Structure formats: structure tokens, C-alpha cells
Amino acid sequence: MSQFRLVAGVDEVGRGPLAGAVVAAAVILDPTQPIIGLADSKKLSAKKREALDLEIRSKALAWSLGRAEVEEIDQLNILQATFLAMQRALAGLTIQPEHVLIDGNRCPKLAYSMEAIVGGDALIPAISAASILAKVSRDAELVLLDQLYPTYGFAQHKGYPTPSHLNAIRQYGVLPIHRRSFKPIKTLFPH
């Protein structure tokens, strides 16, 4: 890994929810401006994530967000949609990386030198940074969706299949932002 100077960390948020886009981020950190406190976004408080999000955006050499929408998730499947979001995040970088480190056990088929690192969001600072940017961005979207659809509780469950979310779907129906290919929704509302 050390033979590469420009390394991008890539991670995604939103594979498991029943609603909303899957969001990926790619980050190339600046070794001369270390960011203290980077960790797996799921292990940080929302307040800490938001503070780090601002710091990453100001100190990183390059960062970019990519996404795949609900329609793309339903057409492609969640894994391929996740890879598409990662591809879009990498394509959006203003500096192209020499090597890409992806959180997980599989890499998308892209024209980059890449490796997948299981648990990378806790091990590799650039992946941690990507995980934080993706989570802060997606969480903010779900808070906005909560304002559009207040009876569903998106600000609390962020689209994940919690009992309250499933009850809201049963009570109020499926929204355009719901992933119709996902089992609980397919089961509740077969086409």
C-alpha cells in the first residue's frame, strides 16, 4: 500500500434500508493535514460525525459523493447499485487516485488498481473518512424525507426496516422512495 501516494478510500451507506438512495463516498486524504478521530461512522455520535464531515471536506486532497437511486437499486440489485454509487464517487474526484481501497469483501469492476478490505472503515483512515461523508450525507437526506413524509419516522430509523417503519408502511402504504425489490416491501405489497 505504501508504494501509492494517492490512495482513495471508498465506502457506502444505505445497503440495508428499505427507502432512499445508496450513497458512496471516495476520499483522498492529505498526509500533511491529519484528521484526528476518524473511525467507522457507525461507532461515532451524530455530532462527532458532523464535525468530522466538515473537517474532511476542508482538509482532504479530494472527496466526492456518488449515489444510486431507488429505481436503480430496484433495477440492478443492491450490490450492483452500490458498485454504481462507488463508480460515481470515484469519477467525481478532482484528483484521480493511484490506488483504491474499498470497505468490504468485493470490488466493482473498474479501471483502477483496487483492493477490498473487510472492516476497512475501522482500519483505514481514508475509508473511515468516506464512511463518515456518506453517512452524514445520507442521514441528512432522510431527515429531509421525514419532513416530506412525517408519518413514516425517517429521521429516526433512516429507512431501515425497524418495527415502527414496517408498521408505517402497513398503515400508510409504499412511497416512491421505497425499494420495491426489497423483501419486506415485496411481501407486504406484491405487484
Side-chain angles (χ1 to χ4, degrees):
M1 237 169 51
S2 56
Q3 74 267 32
F4 299 107
R5 203 173 56 81
L6 292 172
V7 176
V10 176
D11 199 5
E12 114 303 311
V13 174
R15 278 177 73 158
L18 304 177
V22 61
V23 178
V27 178
I28 301 174
L29 292 174
D30 182 347
T32 67
Q33 294 193 77
I35 298 170
I36 307 303
L38 290 175
D40 173 359
S41 65
K42 296 181 289 298
K43 306 275 192 286
L44 300 168
S45 69
K47 190 174 178 177
K48 181 70 176 158
R49 278 194 303 267
E50 285 162 20
L52 284 167
D53 178 77
L54 294 172
E55 192 175 353
I56 294 161
R57 288 170 185 255
S58 68
K59 288 184 175 177
L61 291 175
W63 62 269
S64 173
L65 293 166
R67 50 191 293 126
E69 302 302 335
V70 171
E71 299 77 22
E72 293 172 313
I73 294 167
D74 285 342
Q75 283 168 6
L76 298 170
N77 75 40
I78 189 61
L79 178 65
Q80 294 309 315
T82 298
F83 286 167
L84 181 61
M86 289 177 173
Q87 177 185 346
R88 288 171 173 164
L90 285 163
L93 289 171
T94 52
I95 302 168
Q96 282 302 293
E98 297 164 357
H99 191 62
V100 177
L101 300 174
I102 292 181
D103 182 51
N105 61 1
R106 297 170 79 174
C107 293
K109 290 179 177 34
L110 300 173
Y112 291 93
S113 162
M114 281 190 283
E115 64 187 291
I117 299 178
V118 175
D121 51 0
L123 302 169
I124 310 289
I127 296 177
S128 299
S131 134
I132 291 164
L133 289 189
K135 180 144 182 61
V136 168
S137 172
R138 188 175 191 286
D139 283 0
E141 279 182 36
L142 272 289
V143 169
L144 291 174
L145 288 173
D146 187 67
Q147 292 166 13
L148 281 175
Y149 307 107
T151 54
Y152 286 79
F154 289 115
Q156 287 74 45
H157 56 64
K158 306 294 189 280
Y160 283 88
T162 62
S164 70
H165 188 189
L166 294 170
N167 287 335
I169 294 168
R170 279 188 207 99
Q171 195 170 348
Y172 306 111
V174 176
L175 296 169
I177 58 162
H178 278 117
R179 302 171 181 179
R180 293 172 186 276
S181 61
F182 275 45
K183 197 173 205 160
I185 298 199
K186 244 183 6 194
T187 308
L188 287 171
F189 297 92
H191 303 317

